[in-house]
């Protein structure tokens, strides 16, 4: 058996695992393909009614297997999201490397640029804050040396409602997720609405070891007043979408606000910032960050829904004619939203491949010539087309040449 | 690899598009831009300098002097639509007070034509035929070109189009050759002295 199981009491026997529960810990690797991967250690975990967790068959809670499993989940955002949060729609081939990119610190400033509907917000704005909170102080992969439960994360959306949409699954997991509550009981309240100092739809305080000015998680909309707030981590989720794309001042406002907001970090050196986004316009927030913020690491891959001729997220877009139907549906926005490409010929006039470059070496310009130059030289030096007059050029005007000129209509006689 | 000496790229042309206002925190605003370019004998255009920023009028004036000194352009175009004429006049007055030569030429952009169409009209034949050369480090200009017309920032690409509009089209060699050959033929037939034929051949 390699399945996470739940059990209410010893007498009731095994409950049928709910369909949403995944099997073994998902592979934390991209290549080789799943079928060729070495078998992963399976585990069975039983959550008692008391909330304690133990390995199936073990008489005591907190066995070696449970500790090992917990450590694995704490060390892998992908496994945490897939197993504990039950994000069964994640695809290992795509989301394992994406999660590695998200959780690898340093670098501490990252921008995840992915097409629409590829789970970037799910991972960064929903799973990541929880994963940060469950980190043990001795193995904290995000804020080394600090207990995860002391984290303070600001989750920013384009509007407050969007940020709260991401906030709700976090809250639900902390209140209801059996596995989360059993593996990390120190992170959750028994009755949060009564015990927590803040527990509403935009602020939550976990049972942390000491008090901070910021709540553990706070959801705000872009443009919110943040003076006095000093979170340890910031998540900017899709700050610039349609409204900003259609309004340059709105776009600039988003760029300036996010730039100023990063100054609020509790620790400028070790504070963490994640951006997620999709291209909506040429001069948008991702573009601005690419051009002006060298400290931010951008993902090089997974930017377009098709890479090397393959759909990167076949679980969702693997159906026949997916690309064509999206192209048809989104028209000129398709290259932006699904390919994160602003250089597409449907959007712009000039192709990058048509530009030519030279190097300045001392006083000389060096460049590669190509067939266009050869054609140019040919055009510029082609002899002129012979005209009717060429045969008469330079000959004295006499009766014969006059007759020829008259014949070719080059002479006009006044009546 | 082909090489061209900078000195062979003559004459040089420059264009400045002055924008009003200084750096702003509020919103997207156009920047002042200067682009310098020079054609070769085949009509290929080499962009020698591209700069854009939002700076005060006095600083822009100093930059115009600096660019003029560095590249010695044959003409330094400056956009002179509406109140920009005043700025051109101010620069010229300043130049005369400093006793410095500035080949400033006011250029009125047609207001009946859309800016994007004008830019497209100048740049499409050049870029499409591989006749526009940039330096690799002109990243901003390159970005504005490849994102045109979607990018709201068009200062550099606009200045580039304007400078390209100032550069006279390269004349095919054949026109000169045909004329000269015809003259030589005439002189030979008419029995002109050899020295005269030689002089005509040398132009």
């Amino acid at each position: 058996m390699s399945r996470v199981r739940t059990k209410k009491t010893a007498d009731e026997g095994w409950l049928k695992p709910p369909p949403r529960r995944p099997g073994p810990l998902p592979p934390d690797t991209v290549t080789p393909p799943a079928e060729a991967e070495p078998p992963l250690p399976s585990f069975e975990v039983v959550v008692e009614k008391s909330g304690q967790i133990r390995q199936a068959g073990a008489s005591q809670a907190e066995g070696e297997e449970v500790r090992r499993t917990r450590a694995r989940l704490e060390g892998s955002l992908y496994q945490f999201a897939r197993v504990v949060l039950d994000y069964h729609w994640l695809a290992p081939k795509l989301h394992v490397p994406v999660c590695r990119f998200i959780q690898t610190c340093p670098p501490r400033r990252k921008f995840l640029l992915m097409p629409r509907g590829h789970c970037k917000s799910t991972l960064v704005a929903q799973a990541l804050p929880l994963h940060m909170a469950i980190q043990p102080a001795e193995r904290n992969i995000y804020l080394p040396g600090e207990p995860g439960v002391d984290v303070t994360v600001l989750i920013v959306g384009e509007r407050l409602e969007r940020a709260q949409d991401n906030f709700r699954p976090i809250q639900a997991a902390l209140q209801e997720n059996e596995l989360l509550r059993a593996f990390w009981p120190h992170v959750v309240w028994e009755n949060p609405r009564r015990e927590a100092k803040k527990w509403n739809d935009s602020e939550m305080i976990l049972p942390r070891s000491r008090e901070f000015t910021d709540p553990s998680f706070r959801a705000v909309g872009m443009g919110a007043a943040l003076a006095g707030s000093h979170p340890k981590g910031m998540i900017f989720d899709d700050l610039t979408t349609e409204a900003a794309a259609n309004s340059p001042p709105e776009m600039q406002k988003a760029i300036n606000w996010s730039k100023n907001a990063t100054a609020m970090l509790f620790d400028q050196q070790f504070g963490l910032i994640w951006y997620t986004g999709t291209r909506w316009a040429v001069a948008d927030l991702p573009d601005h960050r690419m051009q002006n913020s060298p400290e931010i690491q951008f993902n090089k891959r997974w930017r377009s829904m098709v890479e090397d001729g393959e759909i990167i997220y076949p679980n969702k877009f693997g159906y026949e004619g997916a690309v064509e139907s999206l192209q048809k549906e989104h028209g000129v926005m398709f290259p932006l939203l699904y390919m994160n490409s602003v250089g597409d010929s449907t959007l712009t006039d000039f192709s990058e491949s048509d530009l030519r470059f030279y190097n300045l070496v001392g006083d000389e310009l060096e460049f590669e010539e190509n067939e266009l130059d050869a054609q140019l030289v040919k055009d510029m030096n082609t002899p002129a087309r012979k005209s009717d007059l060429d045969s008469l050029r330079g000959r004295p005007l006499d009766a014969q040449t006059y007759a020829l000129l008259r014949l070719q209509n080059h002479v006009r006689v006044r009546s | 690899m082909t090489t061209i000496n900078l000195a062979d790229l003559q004459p040089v042309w420059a264009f400045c598009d002055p924008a009003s206002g200084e750096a702003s925190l509020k919103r997207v605003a156009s920047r002042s831009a200067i682009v310098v370019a020079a054609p070769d004998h085949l009509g290929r255009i080499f962009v020698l300098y591209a700069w854009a920023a939002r700076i005060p009028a006095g600083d822009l004036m100093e930059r115009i002097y600096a660019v003029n000194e560095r590249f010695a352009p044959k003409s330094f175009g400056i956009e002179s639509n509406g109140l920009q004429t005043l700025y051109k006049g101010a620069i010229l007055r300043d130049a005369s007070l400093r006793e410095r030569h500035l080949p400033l030429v006011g250029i009125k952009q047609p207001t009946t034509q859309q800016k994007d169409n004008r830019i497209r009209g100048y740049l499409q034949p050049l870029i499409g035929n591989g006749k526009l050369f940039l330096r690799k480090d002109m990243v901003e200009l390159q970005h504005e070109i490849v994102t045109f017309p979607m990018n709201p920032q068009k200062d550099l690409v606009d200045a580039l189009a304007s400078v390209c509009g100032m550069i006279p089209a390269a004349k095919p060699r054949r026109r000169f050759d045909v004329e000269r050959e015809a003259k030589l033929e005439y002189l030979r037939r008419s029995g002109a002295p050899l020295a005269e034929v030689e002089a005509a051949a040398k132009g």
Side-chain angles (χ1 to χ4, degrees), chain B residues 118-137:
Chain B
R118 178 170 51 80
I119 296 172
R120 200 174 280 132
Y122 282 126
L123 294 186
Q124 185 59 55
L126 291 171
I127 296 176
N129 292 314
K131 287 165 80 174
L132 187 75
F133 288 76
L134 313 178
R135 250 193 354 250
K136 275 270 181 202
D137 59 345

Side-chain angles (χ1 to χ4, degrees), chain A residues 322-353:
Chain A
V323 177
E324 291 76 12
S325 73
L326 287 170
Q327 267 176 327
K328 203 175 163 187
E329 193 180 334
H330 295 280
V332 291
M333 292 303 285
F334 176 81
L336 289 167
L337 299 180
Y338 289 95
M339 305 302 277
N340 278 305
S341 160
V342 292
D344 192 90
S345 59
T346 55
L347 296 168
T348 57
D349 280 17
F350 306 116
S351 164
E352 200 162 2
S353 58

Side-chain angles (χ1 to χ4, degrees), chain A residues 349 358 363 365 369 373 382, chain B residues 2 4 44 47 120 174:
Chain A
D349 280 17
Y358 70 87
D363 280 346
L365 277 71
E369 289 210 319
D373 298 293
T382 312
Chain B
T2 310
I4 294 182
R44 296 177 295 198
V47 182
R120 200 174 280 132
R174 63 186 184 228

Side-chain angles (χ1 to χ4, degrees), chain A residues 250-284:
Chain A
E250 187 81 9
M251 184 67 80
Q252 195 59 32
K253 194 176 143 197
I255 290 168
N256 288 347
W257 185 85
S258 67
K259 211 161 50 180
N260 295 335
T262 56
M264 300 288 177
L265 270 182
F266 182 74
D267 186 327
Q268 284 298 324
Q269 191 184 352
F270 295 104
L272 302 160
I273 299 176
W274 288 270
Y275 293 88
T276 70
T278 302
R279 300 303 298 266
W280 274 85
V282 172
D284 56 2

